[in-house]
Amino acid sequence: MIRFQQKIDRNAPCWCGSGKKYKNCHEEFDEKIRKFELEGHVVPDRSIIKTPAQIQGIRDSAVINIAVLDEIGEKIHEGMSTQEIDDIVYNTTVKMGGIPADLHYEGFPKSVCTSINDQVCHGIPSDKIILKDGDIVNVDCSTILNGFFSDSSRMYCIGNVSPEWKKLVDVTKECVDIGLENVKPWTLLGDMGNAVNRHAIENGYSVVREIGGHGCGLEFHEDPYVSYVSAPGTEMLMVPGMAFTIEPMVNMGTADIYQDEKDGWGIYTQDGKPSAQWEIQVLVTETGHEVLAY
C-alpha cells in the first residue's frame, strides 16, 4: 500500500528512476492512487509498478516464452511423451539465452508444467506419460532472461478431441479474452475477475477458487494475487506499469480440486472431469493494456 507518510519532495528525483523531478513525473500519479486509497480500495505499492527499462526487460524475456510455445505448437503430437515437451522447452529456452523459470523453482524438477485432461495444473513431465488421441493438454511455460520473468500457457488438442472438450478449451480462451478486455487503468481487478467468472458460469462451467494469477516481471510470482471468482468493486486497483497474469482454470464440472499426495505438485479436479487453462501476461498502460506473453 502507498502510505501518505511516503511523501517525496516535489523537486527530488522521482522514485521511478526517470531522472525527472518528482513534480514533473509521478506526483500526480501518486496523488490519484492516494485518492483511491482514501476511498478504501487496495492500491499497489510502488515496488509493483514497473519502470520503462524493466518493462522492456520483461518484453525481451517474453520473446523467448512465446517462441517456446510456438515451437511446442509445431511439434506436439499423439504418441509424444511429456518429457519430450520438457526437452523442447529447455533446449529452445537455453538456445535463445534464457533460463526456464520452472526448473528447480521451490523444488519443481522440470522446465515446464504439462497438465492433461483432469489435471488442472502443475503436471510434472515424464517419459512415462504419453499423449493420446482425444487428450487436451496445457503447457505452462515461464522464462528468465537477464533477471526478468515472463509467463504464459496454451492449450493443445491432441488428435480427435470430443466437441464437449473442445468447447471447454475454447470457452476458457474466451474467458481470458474477456479478462483482457477488462484490464483498464484506474479500475479494479475484482471487476476483471468477475467478468471472467460470469462467462465461465454462463457456459455451465466453474472456475478454480484456490489458484489464480499473479504479478510477474521482477520475480516469478509477485503481488497482486489475481482471483477469477472475485466480486465487482473489490481487489487491487490497476494502474499503469503493473504486470500480471490472466490464467483462469476452468473446470467442466465442479470447482473442487485436490493435490497429488505422491509428487506434491499435480492439482486435479475432484470429480475427474476435464479442466482447461490459457495464460497471458499483461501490462496495464495509460490507455488500456499490452499483452506481453501469450
Side-chain angles (χ1 to χ4, degrees):
M1 301 281 284
I2 292 179
R3 303 295 184 184
F4 290 103
Q5 63 265 29
Q6 293 177 322
K7 290 273 191 178
I8 298 174
D9 185 282
R10 299 184 71 239
N11 291 305
C14 187
W15 55 263
C16 74
S18 66
K20 299 178 182 178
K21 291 182 178 180
Y22 179 55
K23 65 182 180 183
N24 296 325
C25 195
H26 271 87
E27 182 182 36
E28 184 177 347
F29 177 90
D30 282 358
E31 289 302 323
K32 192 169 185 178
I33 291 177
R34 289 189 180 97
K35 179 177 179 294
F36 279 90
E37 186 182 39
L38 274 176
E39 293 173 354
H41 295 292
V42 178
V43 299
D45 184 271
R46 288 173 184 151
S47 65
I48 295 175
I49 302 165
K50 308 299 187 286
T51 68
Q54 291 168 341
I55 291 168
Q56 188 55 52
I58 300 168
R59 286 193 189 108
D60 293 342
S61 175
V63 168
I64 299 176
N65 215 68
I66 293 167
V68 169
L69 290 173
D70 286 347
E71 185 80 359
I72 296 299
E74 291 178 6
K75 295 183 176 179
I76 197 167
H77 62 271
E78 180 184 349
M80 183 184 208
S81 73
T82 54
Q83 180 57 52
E84 290 177 81
I85 295 174
D86 190 81
D87 292 341
I88 292 170
V89 170
Y90 180 84
N91 292 332
T92 304
T93 302
V94 172
K95 182 179 179 181
M96 295 183 70
I99 301 169
D102 285 347
L103 189 58
H104 306 313
Y105 177 75
E106 295 187 351
F108 191 78
K110 299 291 181 175
S111 297
V112 70
C113 295
T114 51
S115 306
I116 303 171
N117 300 339
D118 65 328
Q119 190 167 44
V120 177
C121 61
H122 302 163
I124 300 175
S126 168
D127 57 10
K128 296 179 181 178
I129 301 174
I130 308 299
L131 299 181
K132 300 178 180 64
D133 182 57
D135 283 345
I136 58 173
V137 55
N138 177 265
V139 179
D140 191 346
C141 181
S142 307
T143 302
I144 309 170
L145 179 67
N146 300 324
F148 295 101
F149 291 77
S150 54
D151 189 10
S152 58
S153 80
R154 300 180 196 171
M155 293 296 298
Y156 300 95
C157 293
I158 309 302
N160 300 299
V161 173
S162 72
E164 293 80 11
W165 287 29
K166 182 64 166 59
K167 180 185 175 183
L168 173 67
V169 170
D170 292 342
V171 169
T172 303
K173 180 63 166 61
E174 291 169 6
C175 285
V176 172
D177 293 339
I178 288 170
L180 183 61
E181 290 171 5
N182 284 273
V183 175
K184 304 171 185 177
W186 313 110
T187 63
L188 300 170
L189 277 170
D191 296 326
M192 184 275 287
N194 183 258
V196 169
N197 195 35
R198 284 202 316 271
H199 188 68
I201 290 173
E202 286 167 2
N203 282 276
Y205 304 138
S206 61
V207 179
V208 171
R209 300 178 295 264
E210 297 89 343
I211 309 171
H214 54 91
C216 183
L218 306 185
E219 297 178 15
F220 195 171
H221 294 91
E222 306 172 348
D223 287 334
Y225 173 75
V226 183
S227 171
Y228 307 105
V229 292
S230 49
T234 65
E235 307 297 330
M236 186 177 284
L237 176 72
M238 292 183 280
V239 305
M242 286 175 61
F244 55 85
T245 65
I246 301 177
E247 50 175 316
M249 301 170 193
V250 181
N251 295 350
M252 184 175 285
T254 69
D256 298 328
I257 57 175
Y258 71 93
Q259 186 173 47
D260 188 324
E261 294 182 356
K262 292 181 180 179
D263 66 34
W265 282 99
I267 303 295
Y268 293 83
T269 60
Q270 189 72 53
D271 58 13
K273 293 183 179 180
S275 181
Q277 178 194 23
W278 295 79
E279 177 183 12
I280 63 173
Q281 184 178 3
V282 62
L283 171 74
V284 184
T285 67
E286 294 285 350
T287 56
H289 54 258
E290 173 189 340
V291 176
L292 298 171
Y294 57 87

